[in-house]
Amino acid sequence: MDEILEGLNKAQLTAVTSTEGFVRVIAGAGSGKTRALTHRFAYLVTELGVLPGNILCVTFTNKAANEMRQRIHQLTGDNDTGYISTFHGFCVNILQEDSHAIGYPKSFMVLDNSDIDEMLKIIYEERGLTLRDKTFASARDMFEMRKCLTEPGYFLDMIALPIDELHEKYLQATEVNDILFYGYLYQERKTFAVDYNDLIILSLYIFQEHPDIAEKWQKRLMYIQIDEFQDIDPLQYRLMEVLCAYHHNLFIVGDPDQTIYTWRGANVKYLLDFDKVFPNVQTIMMMENYRSTPEILAAANSLIAKNGHRIKKDLIPTKTSGEKVICHFADTQEAEAQWMAGEMQRLHDRGVPLRDMTVLYRAHYVTRAVEEALMHEKIPYTIYSGVQFFDRMEIKDALSYLRMIAYQDDLSFRRIANAPKRNLGKRRMAFLQETAEKEGTSLYVTLKNHLEDSVFSGTKAKQFVDLIERFSYSYQGRPISEVLSDILDKSGYEKALRTEGSQERLDDLAELKQSIYEYETSCGEESTMEHYLAHIALFSNGDVAEQGDKVKLMTVHAAKGLEFPYVFLCGMNEGIFPSRKVRTLPGMEEERRLAFVALTRAEKGLYLSEADGWNFDGSPRYPSRFLLDIDRELLSFTHEVDETLLREAADDVARRDKYLREDDGDGTLPIGQRVRHAVFGEGTVLDVDLNKGAHVIQFDGMGTPRSISLRAKLEKIGP
């Protein structure tokens, strides 16, 4: 017990030992909330004797879950770390155990974005659509909107409608959105696949329709802990309510000042109103910051204090004093980037590794000048948004081999049937597709049934089928890393890469094998192939770190939950940060919270910069209001401040604020809404383009649709 409670401050100690009932922890940035969560888990297990399998600990990224799992293992010495996962990851457990309740096999497949794109390719080809009709990204967004908001009962088509009827619904659809949506549902049902939205929605449906299953999970989860509670969305909240309904032991941790995902459905009210919804809530304030210097915290506190809707609190420093926050006003973006590169070089000359320096920004386009400056100065860097590890071709191929062994699904088949080359080109794949549709079988089963057809003479189709069959019968009970090594060898995939001289790709495969081995070690007996494939499908780009001594470049959103010794926050201009897309007062407060998150990532040094120039619309560019929000005496300016510039910047902010609405909606109208425009007349909303801030409207008297700004006055016609 001494080891678990040792070194905890008063607030952390209270949090760890408050095990019963409803507990809310308001934890400021860098206050050691992960420490509190992990030590509380260990306290429950080692001191109270609670079995790890009776504890659910929810985080918001797989990286955070893995880190928490390792910390708990170090504290308890037990490989069993219960349910430590994201909401989606936990729902995979529910569905793997109780998928029979919706008629799905245990070997269902979890889709990632690239899988969805592969399904979209099939639909576009079948129905003669192009990217002019709708981009893949817009289609995925539309699926999410329809599943989570406009058509919450969609899943009944997936699980209750006979597949022939669902197919017919897809074929009968005429509108592009309907074609894509029902085509996607059909593809999901055909392959027994689910996406991230389905995971929670189907879990809730099972609990609703089968109270006995709900009760089983409620009784099992004696203690529930949820991290980053300010980011919880309505579906996750509903799931939490169901799961804690038996034991009434719910422990939540969050910071209202770090709510930056309302655009994704997060609602900070769940955290703020927690004590109004649940009985006898104990609230614990954790404000001692162990990350940043007093100078950095003073600037961050000064900034966030300008928000009106918040719990008033200040982060309390525990570190010794450091350097003031540095602020630089540059004449051009190029000059700003050159200044940053110069400061990085000075830090490096002082012995600071490049990997300790991170550039944060609001929008990706800001990096152009920064990248050019870093390249010119020969400073190596990595961008956390390029082709990440699990999106690389060879990694996708290797995982598709594992999925073929477990599922024999069409998506994996299409990817690896001809990798390495087996002479299964477009003509033969088209034959398989056509035959599979006629016979109502998967592509792989169709190939098995037609191996003797003349169309497959001169191919290695039989060798491929023999390979998959052999592994499908023998993979269970074998370590996943061993199965992967074996099939990459037997298939000739690694040999083909060696022949091509693709050493980098071979290194990536070696890294994958190592990561699987580490996964097996941490999961123990639960590390089945199906578990691993579901786990890996839930990975996001931010879960994978780049190696080497390089400066990191990433968006502020990507940096959430991370910390860095030295932070350069660039592009601090009105219209960049805060974004020009902000149209409401609540939206502006969220932008300020995002800036607060950026500042509180820094441990030792913080550099803020902006650049003079012109915006995309031709208007002059001014320093961000967030620079003006910070008390001036807390900043160290690199040169004398132009008072005229600051007055003009303040006037610009005041002008922009006149256009901010009070409501917290996004100002959009639903698709299908009839509207009247003062000049163009009546029309129908076809789409909403949030990137451009416009409705796409087909006016009755016009041959083509028009993009109309969200700010334009439109009169609703009808409901």
Side-chain angles (χ1 to χ4, degrees), residues 471-674:
F471 275 85
S472 295
Y473 284 119
S474 65
Y475 79 92
Q476 290 182 344
R478 293 177 68 191
I480 308 159
S481 50
E482 180 187 296
V483 173
L484 180 63
S485 293
D486 199 11
I487 198 163
L488 291 179
D489 176 44
K490 297 288 195 312
S491 65
Y493 187 85
E494 282 189 324
K495 183 182 178 182
L497 290 184
R498 280 193 289 273
T499 304
E500 294 169 12
S502 303
Q503 188 55 49
E504 190 176 338
R505 297 190 187 281
L506 289 166
D507 291 345
D508 284 343
L509 290 176
E511 180 65 26
L512 176 65
K513 292 171 192 174
Q514 180 60 28
S515 74
I516 294 175
Y517 176 75
E518 290 171 0
Y519 170 82
E520 290 170 322
T521 306
S522 66
C523 291
E525 293 179 1
E526 284 194 6
S527 57
T528 65
M529 182 92 78
E530 291 78 9
H531 271 100
Y532 174 73
L533 290 170
H535 162 81
I536 216 66
L538 296 170
F539 262 76
S540 62
N541 284 348
D543 293 329
V544 185
E546 296 283 345
Q547 303 298 315
D549 193 27
K550 300 176 183 177
V551 174
K552 303 179 189 73
L553 276 64
M554 66 179 77
T555 65
V556 182
H557 280 102
K560 176 76 163 45
L562 305 177
E563 54 191 39
F564 315 100
Y566 296 89
V567 168
F568 292 79
L569 179 58
C570 63
M572 292 293 285
N573 292 92
E574 265 316 279
I576 299 177
F577 199 1
S579 168
R580 67 184 186 279
K581 298 175 185 176
V582 176
R583 293 178 177 83
T584 66
L585 289 171
M588 188 58 74
E589 293 216 339
E590 175 149 349
E591 286 288 293
R592 188 173 283 105
R593 291 194 294 269
L594 188 59
F596 173 79
V597 166
L599 267 59
T600 54
R601 299 311 92 194
E603 298 172 347
K604 298 177 182 178
L606 177 61
Y607 300 77
L608 309 176
S609 61
E610 66 86 46
D612 202 356
W614 304 93
N615 293 311
F616 294 134
D617 61 3
S619 61
R621 185 177 284 173
Y622 291 107
S624 167
R625 68 183 66 203
F626 302 147
L627 293 178
L628 307 182
D629 284 343
I630 301 170
D631 293 345
R632 194 182 296 190
E633 67 269 16
L634 301 176
L635 300 174
S636 174
F637 294 91
T638 55
H639 54 77
E640 190 174 346
V641 179
D642 183 342
E643 297 295 338
T644 302
L645 176 65
L646 293 187
R647 280 197 300 274
E648 289 176 353
D651 290 343
D652 181 64
V653 169
R655 277 194 303 272
R656 289 172 182 271
D657 281 351
K658 288 179 183 176
Y659 293 100
L660 295 178
R661 301 191 311 273
E662 292 282 350
D663 64 283
D664 58 0
D666 60 7
T668 62
L669 297 167
I671 292 169
Q673 175 69 52
R674 294 284 294 169

Side-chain angles (χ1 to χ4, degrees), residues 291-293 296 319 322-323 356 564-566 602-606:
R291 177 184 300 155
S292 309
T293 63
I296 293 170
K319 281 189 166 183
E323 296 178 357
D356 284 357
F564 315 100
Y566 296 89
E603 298 172 347
K604 298 177 182 178
L606 177 61

Side-chain angles (χ1 to χ4, degrees), residues 212-254:
D212 56 322
I213 295 176
E215 188 179 355
K216 174 187 71 177
W217 284 99
Q218 289 167 343
K219 288 182 174 178
R220 184 182 300 176
L221 302 176
M222 297 179 183
Y223 296 89
I224 298 172
Q225 302 184 161
I226 302 178
D227 194 10
E228 305 287 5
F229 198 78
Q230 75 278 352
D231 294 332
I232 202 167
D233 66 29
L235 282 174
Q236 293 163 345
Y237 187 82
R238 277 174 55 199
L239 183 66
M240 175 210 73
E241 282 186 305
V242 173
L243 292 174
C244 74
Y246 185 81
H247 291 289
H248 304 295
N249 288 326
L250 179 59
F251 179 89
I252 66 165
V253 182

Side-chain angles (χ1 to χ4, degrees), residues 162-300:
I163 192 164
D164 292 344
E165 289 184 30
L166 182 56
H167 190 221
E168 190 62 26
K169 199 167 183 177
Y170 157 56
L171 294 177
Q172 293 299 321
T174 55
E175 295 289 330
V176 170
N177 281 350
D178 289 343
I179 292 170
L180 293 174
F181 187 59
Y182 292 115
Y184 177 54
L185 293 186
Y186 171 66
Q187 289 293 332
E188 280 195 288
R189 176 65 179 80
K190 187 178 166 186
T191 54
F192 288 113
V194 295
D195 62 23
Y196 291 8
N197 297 308
D198 300 329
L199 286 168
I200 295 183
I201 289 167
L202 291 177
S203 296
L204 283 167
Y205 175 73
I206 289 173
F207 289 162
Q208 178 186 309
E209 296 299 309
H210 301 273
D212 56 322
I213 295 176
E215 188 179 355
K216 174 187 71 177
W217 284 99
Q218 289 167 343
K219 288 182 174 178
R220 184 182 300 176
L221 302 176
M222 297 179 183
Y223 296 89
I224 298 172
Q225 302 184 161
I226 302 178
D227 194 10
E228 305 287 5
F229 198 78
Q230 75 278 352
D231 294 332
I232 202 167
D233 66 29
L235 282 174
Q236 293 163 345
Y237 187 82
R238 277 174 55 199
L239 183 66
M240 175 210 73
E241 282 186 305
V242 173
L243 292 174
C244 74
Y246 185 81
H247 291 289
H248 304 295
N249 288 326
L250 179 59
F251 179 89
I252 66 165
V253 182
D255 182 5
D257 287 338
Q258 295 188 69
T259 306
I260 60 174
Y261 292 117
T262 58
W263 53 275
R264 226 167 49 187
N267 193 334
V268 73
K269 289 180 181 178
Y270 294 136
L271 176 62
L272 296 177
D273 295 343
F274 190 78
D275 58 335
K276 300 184 181 88
V277 176
F278 295 97
N280 305 316
V281 170
Q282 179 183 358
T283 297
I284 301 164
M285 304 292 285
M286 281 173 43
M287 291 298 115
E288 290 184 57
N289 178 284
Y290 295 91
R291 177 184 300 155
S292 309
T293 63
E295 289 77 7
I296 293 170
L297 292 183

